[in-house]
Amino acid sequence: MNLFELTRALVDIESTTNQERNVGDYLFAHLSSLVARHNGRIERIPAEPNRDNIFASWGEPVVTLSTHMDTVPPFFDSREDGEFIWGRGSCDAKGIIAAMIAAAEKLLAAGTRNLGVLFVVGEERNSAGAKAAAATPRGSRFLINGEPTENRLALGSKGALRYEIATQGRLAHSAYPELGHSAIHTLLDVLHDIRQIALPHDALLGSSTLNIGTIDGGRAPNVVADHAEAEIMFRTVGDPAKLREAVSAATAGRAEAREVFYTPAVQLPKVDGLPTTVVAFTTDIPSFEGTWGQPFLIGPGSIHVAHTAEERIPKKELSEAVDIYARMAMQLLAAGRSSA
């Protein structure tokens, strides 16, 4: 199966977060033949019930190529034209999976060993797969993590700090609002104050940003709302302590602010010969906690179409990524040998 066929086959398997089992089974079967041909090994690394990471290796892994199997909703299947492969996950990150497998095939055919590929669950929500992998490292010294960077090596990526904000009110007939207390009005006031928080700036990563992602509450237009909630996310660029203090101050006495997820910003090394970039999104890299080796971040496709109805990956970039991953692996394997 060639690179484009494998990309489309993966896209056509629905694997929104928490539903990765079928694509994991497909990858296990697909990689098993590569393992058999080149005297490798393959295993499932459990992350959560019915949710396994897939890891294949040839020799003791010094370099591991890794990305995620899950996608955001909604699922839609693949199509192809002369320039692009379209479909949910085409660039984030099933095309990257296909490119990594093709790079491994290329390296193995040339006799290269000490290589692994690791495909994880849950990156789009809470990095459950990366956290499970961090608890069960396999000795890798370098981790090439794949996300859409247009084949430019990322020198840094922002972190994420996510909250659920909840307010409580008192029910009343909307004709007599003085008899109740609107949880929605309170939530709007709290969110207004959160939007006034001064956001930190970093010389490399730029400014932190805030997104109010969801708002929900109330019962009917003629009822004073007794509950309301919102989900918010900061893209962080450094120590989140001041943001946490500011959220606490903005909600004090009016709302409950529950921190539900945090992953730090990271700064990453260069590799000779590769163009560079800085990305604003968050990856699995912090959740690996260095247990799979020094991380690098690069992949084909544009983050600007990931998560959208126009998600696609350029075939040219996909093909180029195979050579980039193979070349990086060789450089890192050489670095590993020289420092051993």
Side-chain angles (χ1 to χ4, degrees), residues 82-163:
E83 188 176 0
F84 298 103
I85 294 174
W86 304 69
R88 176 60 75 227
S90 53
C91 75
D92 190 19
K94 291 179 175 179
I96 295 173
I97 293 175
M100 288 181 167
I101 292 173
E105 291 174 336
K106 180 177 181 177
L107 291 164
L108 292 166
T112 304
R113 306 287 292 176
N114 304 117
L115 175 73
V117 293
L118 172 67
F119 303 125
V120 300
V121 301
E123 187 272 345
E124 296 290 3
R125 190 65 180 173
N126 60 5
S127 291
K131 291 173 182 176
T136 54
R138 297 295 189 267
S140 178
R141 296 177 59 188
F142 302 100
L143 180 77
I144 302 173
N145 189 246
E147 290 286 351
T149 67
E150 300 176 47
N151 282 338
R152 292 179 289 171
L153 189 71
L155 300 183
S157 69
K158 292 183 181 180
L161 176 63
R162 182 156 53 90
Y163 283 93

Side-chain angles (χ1 to χ4, degrees), residues 3 6-7 10 31 34 58 64-68 93-108 115-119 143-147 296-300 318 321-323 325-326 328-329:
L3 175 64
L6 179 56
T7 298
L10 292 169
L31 288 167
L34 189 60
W58 297 267
T64 299
L65 301 166
S66 179
T67 190
H68 58 95
K94 291 179 175 179
I96 295 173
I97 293 175
M100 288 181 167
I101 292 173
E105 291 174 336
K106 180 177 181 177
L107 291 164
L108 292 166
L115 175 73
V117 293
L118 172 67
F119 303 125
L143 180 77
I144 302 173
N145 189 246
E147 290 286 351
F296 300 84
L297 178 62
I298 189 169
L318 197 54
V322 176
D323 294 331
Y325 287 138
M328 284 185 69

